[in-house]
Amino acid sequence: MLDAKILNCLRDSFGLTAFREGQYPVVSAILQGQSTLAVMPTGRGKSLCYQLPAVLLPGTALVVSPLIALMKDQVDALLARGIAASYINSALSSDEQAHRLEELRQGAYRVLYVAPERFRQRAFVEALKHVKISLFAVDEAHCLSQWGHDFRPDYLRLRQAWEACGEPPVLAATATATREVRNDIVTQLGLQDPVVVVSGFDRPNLRYVVRHTPSDESKMKKTLEVLARVPGAAIVYAATRKHVEEVTEALVAGGVSAVSYHAGMSDESRERAQDDFMQGHARVVVATNAFGMGIDKSDVRVVIHYDVPGTIEAYYQEAGRAGRDGKPAFCVLLFSPADRYLQEFFIEGSCPNARTIAAVYDVLINRSEEHIYLSQEAINRLLPHKAHDMAIGTALLWLERASLIERLPRGIAVAEVTLLRPDVPVGRSSIQERIVLALQAQADTGRPTTLDLGTFAAELKESRDALSHALLALRAKGIVHYEPPARTRGIKILRRVKSPLAYLDVSYIETKQARELARLDDMVAFAYSKSCRRNVILGYFGEQAEGQCGRCDVCSDRSDPAMDTSRDSSRSRVSKRPVTANTADAGGVEAELYELLSGLRSRLARENEVPPYLVFNNETLRELATTPPSTLDAMLAVRGIGREKLARYGSEFLGAILAYSARQKPGPAPSLEAALSQSPKARH
């Protein structure tokens, strides 16, 4: 029997009346103080498994998440539900970080999101010792495992961080973990007899489709055909930034509303692209695998892989971003034999040999600076032999894991400034004059000075933007040579040794490439397989399949026109009209009421300066338009409406619904005043 207190929290704080498969055992175990490993498919609600206990447990739940760009979205969603939450990451100013850290000490938050790099800072770890941490949640826990598809060395600090927090219950959550990876997660965190909940890897609503495309031209043609046949929001994954840009350009030229998303774009551009996609202004986002982790968009109807991923784990996770609302969705893999060579190139970069790692270390220890700021390309130019640029980054990861170097947190903007004309007469009023005076006081003429722009701006009592513009102006006048901050992280030498290889697990490094190639073989075999696609995926994760799925291209290639992209598009029964994320589906939804409520949602979102889905998501709007409630009490039964959102938005939506009903049905209709008199708020 389910605990009444848990169910009340589920309804009042999250607007839900029932748990999804696997959620309750995880929540129950955590509330009983047991550490837990939860493996749940994408869209099964892993975040609820730590957010709900955070509401009920005394103290603050600390959530470790690898993507700082998504933390604000998660926090905004919690705040919209009336749950005190925040995040601390390098995107914040040092003053704001300090302010939030002080609020953490004062117990202001139920949930705090941090990136794993945060645990490099002793001040932060020390602060945690004085905070009541109710739960230590590790999101995307497969990043802990050296055998996982997205291993991140910063995650290896988490065990020490957990100990510093007083060893509260741990929740390690992931969507993609083989048995080997699950065991490694438990080992890395040092969990003793944890509760392990594996709710299954099957996503019955997903239809897996593979199309063999021998050329980029045929890939682009298939992409357009699939988007023409499958209405609704779509994600197209490409392996390189170049492919992302090319595909986006081709889609826009073909009349499809599309945006790009990759790590080479500025933070502002990525944020704008993500917002456009999330809010339905762009139907398609074309992205590298930098996009998607933690994205809360439930109505993606198709995910297309323009290039084959390197592992089945990566494919399953990315394809699983389709159909999170439980409705039918398509996962289309466009496969060319040449795709394998691209992935082999990536594997070569992710598996540098011992000689390259040692050479990278030699370059670093030959530098005299305390903090070294060199891009991977710059390090490569200094090597005695040419290496793969990506291999340089991997070598740095291994050197850091061996505690020979430390990579400094992201967000530190370090520039190189050389004073060329020390005798130039200056006053003391303008920012340019004060910059020259400061450089004259601390720098030798003609020798570069490394400056942390954030610190320098604070010393001058100016903004970072103003400082950057002034330095560019001084460079234009020939007074200074100015190299703006590179998009790289600083490096600090921790130990100077004769041979770094003595501190590395060379045997593992030598076998890693073979393992990566074997996993690529599994991915390619999936593309060529004549067996049920669903069964191949389930078998890979060690789950027994029962029967054929009846939905993939192998089992039923002609059963749905959206799958059969080989036929002429003019014969398709699926409309080619692009459908935005805000369009109502068929099946009982009153389309006019849905559009009315969607417009109201957009207005409220603008007024409150939040994305529309943080008001109500599409699923909630559909339910309101399918079975319109007549009282606020009835609205509480709608999925996604808790007491906080009811108090904030309920009366406006109910008023719109009642007014619409009055127009549709002649005769007396219940007034808004009468409906509000039955509200929970009115009775308390």
Side-chain angles (χ1 to χ4, degrees):
M1 183 174 178
L2 301 186
D3 188 294
K5 182 172 68 172
I6 296 175
L7 286 176
N8 288 339
C9 181
L10 181 71
R11 182 189 63 244
D12 293 345
S13 295
F14 298 93
L16 304 172
T17 57
F19 285 102
R20 293 177 177 175
E21 181 184 354
Q23 287 180 323
Y24 183 75
V26 175
V27 169
S28 179
I30 292 169
L31 291 174
Q32 293 176 46
Q34 296 175 283
S35 289
T36 307
L37 170 61
V39 184
M40 297 179 176
T42 299
R44 195 65 62 83
K46 293 186 293 296
S47 59
L48 180 74
C49 293
Y50 56 77
Q51 290 175 353
L52 192 152
V55 175
L56 294 176
L57 291 171
T60 301
L62 193 67
V63 182
V64 182
S65 176
L67 293 181
I68 65 175
L70 302 178
M71 289 182 186
K72 185 176 184 300
D73 289 345
Q74 298 278 353
V75 168
D76 285 347
L78 287 169
L79 293 175
R81 297 186 183 283
I83 300 169
S86 189
Y87 61 88
I88 299 177
N89 61 38
S90 58
L92 301 173
S93 68
S94 56
D95 287 346
E96 181 60 25
Q97 290 181 34
H99 172 69
R100 296 190 187 191
L101 194 58
E102 181 57 33
E103 289 195 323
L104 172 66
R105 292 191 187 97
Q106 295 174 8
Y109 308 130
R110 283 290 186 178
V111 183
L112 179 72
Y113 285 83
V114 297
E117 303 94 272
R118 184 62 34 184
F119 299 112
R120 295 178 186 176
Q121 299 185 355
R122 285 199 189 94
F124 180 76
V125 175
E126 285 298 316
L128 293 179
K129 296 178 180 179
H130 306 287
V131 176
K132 172 63 176 176
I133 300 298
S134 60
L135 170 65
F136 193 90
V138 182
D139 206 2
E140 310 298 341
H142 57 271
C143 297
L144 262 165
S145 174
Q146 59 185 342
W147 309 123
H149 71 281
D150 195 17
F151 170 63
R152 303 191 183 203
D154 278 322
Y155 268 65
L156 297 179
R157 303 174 185 270
L158 299 189
R159 182 170 181 174
Q160 289 72 30
W162 167 67
E163 292 170 351
C165 292
E167 302 185 2
V170 173
L171 170 60
T174 179
T176 52
T178 61
R179 188 179 303 277
E180 182 181 39
V181 170
R182 297 199 293 270
N183 292 337
D184 201 19
I185 291 170
V186 171
T187 300
Q188 294 294 345
L189 287 174
L191 304 183
Q192 301 296 321
D193 299 319
V195 174
V196 179
V197 178
V198 182
S199 62
F201 294 88
D202 194 14
R203 294 283 303 281
N205 63 312
L206 299 187
R207 306 182 181 190
Y208 298 101
V209 182
V210 176
R211 288 288 174 253
H212 291 263
T213 48
S215 66
D216 284 344
E217 183 181 358
S218 61
K219 279 190 177 188
M220 198 62 251
K221 180 181 178 183
K222 291 295 184 188
T223 300
L224 288 166
E225 287 177 350
V226 171
L227 293 175
R229 287 176 166 80
V230 184
I235 302 173
V236 179
Y237 280 110
T240 67
R241 300 173 188 179
K242 180 182 178 183
H243 278 182
V244 167
E245 299 291 351
E246 290 173 349
V247 173
T248 304
E249 184 178 343
L251 291 181
V252 171
V256 179
S257 173
V259 292
S260 297
Y261 189 105
H262 59 70
M265 297 164 59
S266 67
D267 292 342
E268 295 78 9
S269 296
R270 286 200 305 272
E271 184 176 345
R272 184 165 56 250
Q274 180 176 317
D275 287 346
D276 284 346
F277 178 64
M278 295 294 289
Q279 298 180 29
H281 302 318
R283 180 191 171 199
V284 180
V285 60
V286 186
T288 59
N289 60 7
F291 178 84
M293 195 179 290
I295 292 295
D296 186 19
K297 187 170 177 65
S298 63
D299 59 351
V300 174
R301 296 272 65 85
V302 59
V303 169
I304 300 172
H305 275 88
Y306 192 83
D307 301 303
V308 70
T311 67
I312 287 181
E313 291 102 317
Y315 173 72
Y316 174 80
Q317 185 177 56
E318 292 160 12
R321 284 158 192 150
R324 294 181 60 168
D325 55 6
K327 297 181 180 180
F330 294 90
C331 309
V332 182
L333 171 63
L334 305 179
F335 179 74
S336 167
D339 290 350
R340 180 185 178 92
Y341 303 126
L342 180 59
Q343 288 300 330
E344 287 178 345
F345 177 77
F346 291 149
I347 290 172
E348 179 187 344
S350 67
C351 303
N353 57 40
R355 187 180 90 166
T356 297
I357 297 174
V360 169
Y361 180 72
D362 287 342
V363 166
L364 298 177
I365 62 173
N366 286 329
R367 305 286 290 191
S368 59
E369 312 96 291
E370 179 183 0
H371 292 163
I372 302 163
Y373 287 89
L374 290 174
S375 67
Q376 294 177 18
E377 294 81 2
I379 293 175
N380 204 355
R381 288 194 296 269
L382 296 171
L383 294 181
H385 60 277
K386 178 70 174 176
H388 191 306
D389 278 345
M390 185 177 167
I392 307 302
T394 309
L396 294 173
L397 292 178
W398 282 111
L399 292 170
E400 182 176 35
R401 189 175 181 187
S403 298
L404 295 173
I405 68 170
E406 177 185 0
R407 291 187 305 157
L408 304 177
R410 296 183 189 278
I412 298 176
V414 177
E416 195 172 87
V417 183
T418 305
L419 182 60
L420 301 177
R421 293 167 53 192
D423 56 344
V424 63
V426 295
R428 295 178 178 273
S429 57
S430 75
I431 180 173
Q432 292 182 31
E433 291 169 338
R434 286 183 286 127
I435 289 172
V436 173
L437 284 172
L439 291 174
Q440 288 174 343
Q442 63 180 279
D444 294 332
T445 306
R447 294 181 62 84
T449 299
T450 300
L451 293 176
D452 178 337
L453 292 191
T455 302
F456 194 36
E459 292 172 354
L460 296 176
K461 295 182 172 56
E462 297 284 352
S463 70
R464 274 268 306 277
D465 284 345
L467 175 61
S468 296
H469 288 137
L471 285 167
L472 289 171
L474 288 170
R475 183 174 70 177
K477 296 175 182 177
I479 297 173
V480 303
H481 175 70
Y482 169 53
E483 287 291 338
R487 292 177 62 88
T488 188
R489 291 165 64 176
I491 300 166
K492 180 180 180 180
I493 304 294
L494 298 179
R495 304 174 74 176
R496 293 179 179 271
V497 299
K498 185 174 182 180
S499 174
L501 299 184
Y503 297 82
L504 298 172
D505 185 352
V506 176
S507 62
Y508 169 73
I509 295 172
E510 291 175 345
T511 60
K512 185 174 186 293
Q513 186 173 62
R515 293 176 66 95
E516 294 296 316
L517 289 171
R519 290 160 71 179
L520 177 58
D521 286 340
D522 290 333
M523 186 67 236
V524 172
F526 171 82
Y528 282 117
S529 177
K530 300 300 181 183
S531 300
C532 170
R533 307 282 182 199
R534 160 186 168 269
N535 290 356
V536 172
I537 290 174
L538 295 182
Y540 181 84
F541 288 109
E543 189 169 322
Q544 185 66 39
E546 296 181 5
Q548 306 294 299
C549 74
R551 295 179 301 276
C552 71
D553 61 309
V554 173
C555 293
S556 183
D557 200 17
R558 300 282 171 165
S559 64
D560 193 310
M563 275 190 180
D564 183 13
T565 61
S566 63
R567 291 184 290 182
D568 188 294
S569 60
S570 64
R571 298 172 60 189
S572 171
R573 299 194 307 272
V574 180
S575 170
K576 294 176 67 175
R577 177 180 64 89
V579 181
T580 69
N582 295 328
T583 302
D585 296 327
V589 178
E590 179 60 50
E592 186 179 347
L593 176 57
Y594 183 95
E595 294 300 330
L596 176 69
L597 297 180
S598 180
L600 173 59
R601 176 179 67 173
S602 296
R603 177 176 66 78
L604 291 173
R606 287 193 301 272
E607 291 174 357
N608 290 275
E609 298 183 341
V610 297
Y613 72 89
L614 288 184
V615 178
F616 290 138
N617 62 31
N618 291 337
E619 187 176 351
T620 299
L621 286 194
R622 290 191 189 98
E623 191 168 338
L624 289 171
T626 302
T627 310
S630 57
T631 66
L632 290 178
D633 263 348
M635 285 187 76
L636 267 180
V638 176
R639 183 178 180 87
I641 302 181
R643 291 189 180 276
E644 180 69 23
K645 287 199 173 185
L646 185 73
R648 188 173 298 183
Y649 306 119
S651 59
E652 291 213 51
F653 275 87
L654 183 60
I657 290 169
L658 294 178
Y660 174 83
S661 298
R663 293 196 300 272
Q664 302 301 311
K665 299 176 182 178
S671 67
L672 179 58
E673 290 75 11
L676 290 176
S677 70
Q678 303 300 316
S679 74
K681 185 177 180 180
R683 293 197 301 267
H684 291 289

